[in-house]
Amino acid sequence: MDLLFFENSSYDLSLFFTILLAIFISKLRGKRFKLPPGPIPVPIFGNWLQVGDDLNRRNLSDLARKYGDIFLLRMGQRNLVVVSSPDLAKEVLHTQGVEFGSRTRYVGFDIFTGKRQDMVFTVYGEHWRKMRRIMTAIFERLFKDMQGSQGKEQKGEINEDNVLYIVENINVAVETTLWSIEWGIAELVNHPEIQQRLRNEIDTVLGPGVQITEPDTYKLPYLQAVIKETLQLRMAIPLLVPRMNLHDAKLDGFDIPAESKILVNAWWLANNPTNWKNPQDFRPERFLEEEAKVEEANGNDFRCLPFGVGRRSCPWIILALPILGITLGRLVQNFELFPPPGHSKLDTSEKGGQLSLHVLKHSTIVAKPRAL
Ligand code: HEM
C-alpha cells in the first residue's frame, strides 16, 4: 500500500516537473524570439485546446480579425504562422520566396509522395528543381512539342520512381481542376443572366455553332472574367499548399523560428470586404470594371492568388486555365443549364479543410441542348 502511494506520488512529481520545464522552456523561447501575436499557448498542447484542429479558411479569417494580419498558433510542438494581408503574402511568396519556399511534412501523404520525393510536398532544393524539370519534360513530350525540351531534362533523370510521384501529383491536380469546373457550372446554373451573357459573347465572337477551342479562350474577356470570379470566390486550394522556412526568419518585424508551417490565407485575401466590393456576390463584371487590371496568372495583384505566386506557385496554370475555358465555354454554347428538376437553385454548400474547397453535395443538373 505504502509502495503504491510512493509510486503514485513520484509519478505526480515527475509530471509536475515536466510541466514546469515546458513552461520554463516556452518562457525562454518567448524571451529569445519576438514571436507574432496569437492566443496564449499552454504547455504540451499549445493552442490545440482553444482553436481545435479544424483550421479552415473561415476560422483562420476570424482569428486574423482578432489577432491581426500575422498571427502564430502553437499546434502541439509545431509553430503555425498565418498571414492574411496582400503585403505579407507578397513577402512570403515573392520577396522571401526562397526562405519560405519549403513544404511541411504530411505524414498521411507519405505513402503517395514517397516521404516527400514528389514535387508538391518536397522541400525547396535540388530534388524539387529536378522534379520540376522532369514534369516539364513529360508534358512537353506529351504535347509532342520537343522544341526546347532538350537540355532542360538531365540525362537519366526520368526514372520509374520520379514519374510515379509526378503522376500521383497530376492525379491530385486534375481533381483540383475538376473542383473548379464544378464550381463554375454551379455558379452559371445559379446565375442564368451571367450564363446568357457568356453565351452571347461566344456566339458573337465565334459565330453560332463554332465550337470553342484553346486559342479562342483568349478572345473572350467575359469568359475569362467568369473563370477568374469562380477561382476567387470558390478557391479550390484556399490556403495554398503550406510553406515552411528551413531556417530562422523574419516577417513583419517578428521572428519566425525555423521549420514553422506558414499558411497564406489566399481565400481571405480574395474575399475580405475591405479588399473588394461585395466579394460574396458572384459578379464576373468586377474584372471588366473596377478590377480590370487584376490577373490571376501572373501575380500582379496579391489579393488574387488562386494558383499561388513565385517559385512554388502552380506550374500548370497554362494547362488549367484553357481546360476551364474550353469546358465551361462548350457547355454554355451547346446547352442551357438549369438546376435539378424541382429546385430553383443548385445547393452550393462547401466542403473543405486546409487543403481543399469543393462542392459538398453533387447534384444532377438539367442540360437542355440549344437549337443552333
Ligand atoms: C484550376 C486548377 C488548379 C488550381 C486552382 C491549382 C492551384 C495550385 C496551388 C494554389 C498551388 C500551390 C501554390 C503555392 O504553394 O504557392 C499549386 C501547386 C502545384 N500545382 Fe496546381 N492548380 C491547378 C491545376 C494544376 C494542374 C492541371 C497541374 C498539373 C497537371 C498542377 C500541378 C501543380 C504542381 C506540381 C504544384 C506544386 C508546385 C511546387 O510545389 O513547386 N496544378 N497548384
Side-chain angles (χ1 to χ4, degrees), residues 63 107 174 300 354:
L63 288 169
V107 179
V174 167
N300 74 347
Q354 260 187 50

Side-chain angles (χ1 to χ4, degrees), residues 43-337:
I44 300 169
F45 295 106
N47 299 116
W48 226 308
L49 304 176
Q50 293 138 295
V51 297
D53 57 3
D54 186 14
L55 295 175
N56 68 47
R57 69 209 180 284
R58 288 191 197 276
N59 294 343
L60 293 178
S61 306
D62 291 344
L63 288 169
R65 273 190 289 257
K66 195 162 171 194
Y67 294 106
D69 290 339
I70 176 166
F71 62 89
L72 174 90
L73 299 175
R74 287 278 296 171
M75 305 310 284
Q77 290 310 299
R78 180 184 265 183
N79 292 313
L80 175 69
V81 176
V82 184
V83 302
S84 313
S85 76
D87 285 348
L88 286 174
K90 184 174 183 185
E91 194 68 26
V92 170
L93 304 176
H94 174 73
T95 318
Q96 299 198 55
V98 173
E99 288 82 345
F100 293 104
S102 272
R103 303 284 198 205
T104 52
R105 182 173 169 202
Y106 280 78
V107 179
F109 292 175
D110 275 0
I111 194 159
F112 307 111
T113 64
K115 295 199 177 148
R116 300 202 284 167
Q117 289 304 299
D118 69 324
M119 180 174 159
V120 178
F121 291 102
T122 195
V123 293
Y124 183 68
E126 198 37 51
H127 183 68
W128 169 76
R129 265 187 284 275
K130 183 174 79 181
M131 293 304 266
R132 198 131 171 154
R133 274 198 302 273
I134 295 174
M135 196 177 204
T136 310
I138 291 175
F139 271 94
E140 278 169 354
R141 278 189 193 184
L142 221 58
F143 295 136
K144 302 220 180 342
D145 173 17
M146 290 303 286
Q147 265 186 347
S149 78
Q150 260 107 42
K152 276 188 203 154
E153 128 205 22
Q154 289 174 10
K155 230 175 159 215
E157 271 185 339
I158 302 187
N159 61 36
E160 204 174 309
D161 276 356
N162 288 340
V163 173
L164 201 73
Y165 296 131
I166 283 177
V167 168
E168 199 45 62
N169 281 174
I170 293 174
N171 252 342
V172 177
V174 167
E175 221 173 335
T176 311
T177 315
L178 277 179
W179 297 333
S180 304
I181 292 174
E182 285 174 355
W183 281 125
I185 296 173
E187 293 296 354
L188 289 170
V189 165
N190 283 346
H191 297 89
E193 69 296 346
I194 294 175
Q195 196 186 131
Q196 190 52 44
R197 183 169 173 187
L198 178 58
R199 192 172 290 122
N200 291 344
E201 180 185 69
I202 301 174
D203 283 355
T204 313
V205 177
L206 303 187
V210 180
Q211 298 298 309
I212 181 172
T213 59
E214 198 235 321
D216 302 323
T217 57
Y218 309 105
K219 296 185 226 149
L220 299 163
Y222 196 63
L223 174 65
Q224 306 263 2
V226 167
I227 293 170
K228 222 177 276 183
E229 182 72 342
T230 305
L231 292 170
Q232 283 284 86
L233 185 64
R234 308 293 194 172
M235 199 173 281
I237 311 186
L239 304 169
L240 309 184
V241 181
R243 305 297 183 100
M244 182 179 76
N245 52 320
L246 285 175
H247 310 288
D248 289 346
K250 284 258 183 204
L251 205 51
D252 202 24
F254 296 106
D255 291 304
I256 312 295
E259 303 202 357
S260 296
K261 178 171 170 178
I262 319 288
L263 292 181
V264 174
N265 193 346
W267 177 84
W268 181 232
L269 301 181
N271 290 278
N272 181 345
T274 55
N275 293 346
W276 304 86
K277 196 168 129 194
N278 299 327
Q280 73 286 352
D281 296 344
F282 186 79
R283 188 173 63 88
E285 283 75 6
R286 76 177 79 245
F287 291 111
L288 303 176
E289 295 165 12
E290 78 271 16
E291 304 290 359
K293 293 207 176 79
V294 178
E295 290 295 339
E296 73 275 57
N298 65 8
N300 74 347
D301 192 314
F302 282 80
R303 296 169 304 154
C304 180
L305 300 170
F307 296 99
V309 162
R311 286 174 174 74
R312 300 305 294 257
S313 65
C314 182
W316 291 106
I317 306 174
I318 47 159
L319 192 63
L321 286 176
I323 293 175
L324 280 169
I326 295 169
T327 314
L328 295 179
R330 287 234 177 161
L331 272 175
V332 166
Q333 82 180 142
N334 292 294
F335 300 95
E336 279 180 75
L337 308 172

